[in-house]
């Protein structure tokens, strides 16, 4: 058994890492994060609308606009699992696992199997990666398309470069890889706005690469990749051509170039963005354990070491990784709102994990080399045996280090973060409780949900703030929705009438009491009052 393990240890370790990634992304899936944020619910509401109408859009304009893929996948999840809270998070979680696997294969091609295993492990347990894998945001869908498309593109080129290729020039299978790369790269444009920076990485890195290793077959293969990408991405390209306002969305409002002093704004944004890895991370409790660096401090130090090593080596792989990091930090650097912003910088996260892997393996190899020198120069057999034992145990030491990294991240994400009241508020837990309460009432009870006057209605005539209750109660409870200045629309039934404000608002509660003096206020969850009118 031991011999079998050593013969296939890399495969065993990879399978273990994938198992860890699955565990971190699906354990307690229905309860963490603790609630359902309105942006997630808006995706679900649009998915319900598409299921009912049969119309699946390239771009959904509600809530500042979203590319269509997250809605399509949510619709599929709802069709399979029903309109459950966790159904909106299923495909982002699956994308998180595929991204970990893809990072292994890509970094293996670029830097070797040891760095690949280390990088994919860091991504499997990272709070940053795990958190966005367990939310119903569209951003996490970007990662597997980004990673796997570059993997297949690089692998296609590798097969056509004679000095690297050990299989001969099999143009048929290589064309197939180019097509896969193009399909994946094109589909990425349907995921998240930050993905639009991917062509910059493609141009900066792969075009010089093609010039250096240029041949007719490589040129044909790359053109095949571009053509496939164009065909796949053409629908959303045409949509944005006809609707340029949706392409830019809110980006013009939060751009550093719209500030009074763009140079100062860029400088501040650059400092906060670079500092997010090791100094001060995202302050939003939805995105992060507020203020905590995006990388756990040992991983953050390895990240810095990995960048230093890459600058020192500065081979084509290092240039590619450095370009990846910088380009996908641009969505953060070029905006002023909410920096540092872990969601906007999510595209840079895979590169950060690889840099951390580079740093770890460099230290590990240096330690092993140090021990080898000690063994070589030892003058006593006992001394030599002692160093031999230390060398054998170095892998165990590495495993213990990685175990503690995983344990700390587990404690941070699953134990401390979801229990924090600010995290609970950030995910609109009160509105989940409102939904549960209303869904549990008999059909004979009239139910009203009150939303703020200033909230703007979306395509289903409800504001984003009401979407959590709408999605979770859809088909389960008959609820009437009224604005806070439309109390005249509230009709009392023969049985009890229940009125639930979406938010705790003393003035609103006072107005409801004046309108229905016979009503009784009850709190169903923390600061979540309802009015029961007999």
């Amino acid at each position: 058994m031991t011999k079998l393990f050593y013969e296939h240890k890399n495969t065993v370790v990879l399978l273990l890492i994938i198992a860890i990634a699955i565990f971190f992304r699906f354990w307690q899936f229905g309860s963490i994060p603790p609630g359902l944020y309105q942006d997630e619910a808006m995706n679900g509401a649009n998915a319900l609308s598409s299921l009912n109408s049969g119309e699946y859009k390239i771009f959904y304009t509600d809530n500042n606009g979203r590319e269509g893929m997250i809605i399509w996948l949510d619709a599929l999840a709802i069709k399979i699992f029903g309109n459950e809270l966790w159904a909106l998070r299923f495909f982002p979680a699956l994308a998180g696992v595929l991204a970990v696997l893809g990072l292994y294969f890509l970094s293996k091609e670029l830097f070797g199997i040891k760095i690949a295993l280390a990088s994919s492990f860091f991504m499997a347990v990272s709070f940053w990666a795990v958190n966005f894998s367990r939310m119903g945001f569209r951003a996490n869908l970007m990662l597997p398309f980004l990673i796997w498309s570059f993997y297949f593109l690089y692998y296609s080129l590798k097969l056509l470069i004679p000095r690297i290729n050990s299989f001969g020039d099999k143009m048929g299978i290589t064309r197939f890889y180019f097509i896969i790369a193009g399909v994946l790269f094109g589909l990425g444009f349907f995921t998240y706005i930050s993905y639009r920076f991917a062509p910059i990485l493609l141009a900066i890195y792969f075009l010089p690469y093609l010039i250096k290793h240029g041949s007719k077959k490589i040129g044909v293969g790359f053109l095949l990749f571009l053509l496939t990408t164009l065909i796949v991405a053409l629908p959303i390209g045409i949509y944005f051509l006809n609707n340029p306002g949706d392409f830019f969305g809110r980006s013009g409002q939060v751009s550093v170039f719209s500030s009074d002093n763009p140079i100062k704004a860029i400088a501040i944004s650059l400092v906060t963005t670079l500092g997010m890895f090791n100094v001060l991370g995202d302050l939003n409790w939805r995105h992060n354990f507020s203020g905590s660096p995006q990388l756990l401090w040992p991983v953050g130090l390895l990240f810095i070491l990995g960048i230093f090593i890459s600058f020192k080596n500065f081979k084509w792989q290092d240039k590619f990784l450095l370009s990846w990091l910088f380009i996908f930090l641009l969505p953060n650097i070029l905006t002023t709102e909410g920096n540092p912003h872990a969601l906007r910088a999510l595209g840079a996260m895979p590169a950060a994990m690889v840099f951390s892997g580079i740093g770890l393996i460099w230290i590990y190899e240096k330690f092993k080399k140090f021990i080898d020198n000690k063994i070589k120069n030892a003058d006593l057999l006992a001394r030599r045996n002692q160093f031999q034992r230390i060398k054998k145990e170095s892998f165990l030491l590495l495993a213990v280090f990685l175990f503690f990294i995983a344990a700390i991240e587990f404690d941070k994400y699953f134990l401390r973060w979801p229990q924090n009241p600010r995290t609970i508020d950030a995910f609109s837990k009160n509105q989940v409780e409102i939904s549960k309460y209303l869904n549990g009432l008999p059909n004979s009870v009239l139910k009203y949900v009150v939303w703020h006057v200033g909230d703007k209605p979306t395509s289903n005539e409800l504001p984003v703030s009401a979407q959590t209750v709408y999605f979770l109660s859809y088909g389960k409870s008959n609820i009437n929705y009224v604005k806070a200045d439309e109390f005249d629309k509230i009709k009392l039934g023969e049985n009890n009438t229940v009125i639930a404000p979406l938010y705790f608002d003393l003035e609103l509660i006072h107005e409801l009491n004046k309108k229905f003096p016979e009503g009784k206020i009850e709190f169903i969850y923390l600061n979540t009052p309802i009015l029961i009118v007999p």
Side-chain angles (χ1 to χ4, degrees), residues 155-460:
Y155 195 69
S156 302
L157 294 170
K158 173 182 172 179
L159 289 178
L160 292 180
I161 298 175
R163 67 182 181 84
I164 299 177
N165 176 26
S166 59
F167 303 100
D169 188 3
K170 300 179 180 179
M171 194 58 187
I173 191 68
T174 307
R175 284 176 179 162
F176 178 66
Y177 289 146
F178 274 118
I179 291 172
I180 292 178
V183 169
L184 293 173
F185 197 78
L187 286 174
F189 290 99
F190 295 87
T191 58
Y192 184 53
I193 188 171
S194 293
Y195 189 87
R196 299 171 198 172
F197 285 82
I200 301 175
L201 179 58
L202 184 72
I204 288 177
Y205 176 71
F206 277 100
L207 290 181
Y209 190 80
L210 288 171
I211 294 171
K212 181 178 179 181
H213 300 286
S215 72
K216 182 178 179 180
K217 289 182 178 179
I218 288 178
V220 169
F222 194 71
L223 285 175
L224 184 61
F225 161 79
L226 292 178
L227 181 61
T228 307
T229 297
L230 179 63
I231 292 171
V232 173
L234 189 60
I236 197 166
I238 292 174
Y239 176 86
F240 284 136
L241 189 65
N242 294 326
N243 303 273
D246 288 337
F247 179 83
F248 294 103
R250 290 180 64 247
S251 57
Q253 303 169 23
V254 300
S255 170
V256 291
F257 301 107
S258 64
S259 64
D260 294 334
N261 190 334
I263 295 176
K264 180 181 177 181
I266 290 175
I268 293 173
S269 187
L270 179 62
V271 170
T272 56
T273 297
L274 296 179
M276 71 188 293
F277 296 99
N278 291 279
V279 182
L280 179 69
D282 197 318
L283 297 171
N284 187 330
W285 281 93
R286 263 190 312 278
H287 300 168
N288 190 26
F289 197 103
S290 181
S292 176
Q294 299 307 136
L295 302 177
L296 193 66
W297 71 264
V299 181
L301 293 177
L302 293 173
F303 164 74
I304 294 173
L305 177 60
I307 289 178
F308 175 79
I309 293 167
S310 290
F311 269 115
K312 185 178 178 182
N313 293 335
F314 216 57
K315 297 178 181 178
W316 61 265
Q317 299 97 322
D318 303 293
K319 296 174 185 176
F320 173 64
L321 196 61
L322 289 164
S323 299
W324 184 318
L325 180 70
F326 176 74
I327 288 168
F328 281 97
L329 288 178
L330 286 176
N332 234 19
I333 296 170
L334 297 178
T335 53
T336 57
E337 183 190 60
N339 278 342
H341 202 285
L343 179 61
R344 261 185 235 125
L346 192 62
M349 187 264 295
M353 298 301 154
V354 179
F355 280 123
S356 300
I358 291 172
L360 177 65
I361 299 304
W362 184 87
I363 291 176
Y364 183 65
E365 294 297 333
K366 286 290 183 182
F367 178 76
K368 286 177 61 178
K369 186 176 180 180
F370 171 78
I371 297 299
D372 285 337
N373 288 334
K374 289 291 185 181
I375 294 171
K376 182 179 178 181
N377 297 323
D379 52 355
L380 297 175
L381 180 60
R383 189 77 168 161
R384 191 177 299 118
N385 290 338
Q386 182 184 13
F387 283 117
Q388 287 280 12
R389 187 169 62 253
I390 292 174
K391 182 179 179 181
K392 290 179 180 178
E393 292 173 351
S394 62
F395 180 78
L396 178 61
L397 181 65
L398 176 64
V400 170
F401 170 76
L402 295 177
F403 172 81
F404 277 105
I405 293 293
I408 293 170
E409 296 284 33
F410 177 89
D411 174 71
K412 183 179 178 182
Y413 183 81
F414 290 102
L415 302 181
R416 294 190 289 129
W417 179 73
Q419 302 300 325
N420 192 294
R422 286 164 289 188
T423 303
I424 293 170
D425 288 343
F427 281 94
S428 306
K429 174 71 170 175
N430 67 310
Q431 295 186 19
V432 174
E433 296 302 321
I434 291 172
S435 304
K436 288 180 181 178
Y437 180 83
L438 296 179
N439 291 344
L441 294 174
N443 290 332
S444 58
V445 175
L446 289 177
K447 309 164 189 110
Y448 290 88
V449 168
V450 180
W451 50 282
H452 286 184
V453 176
D455 291 346
K456 182 181 178 182
T458 61
S459 58
N460 62 6

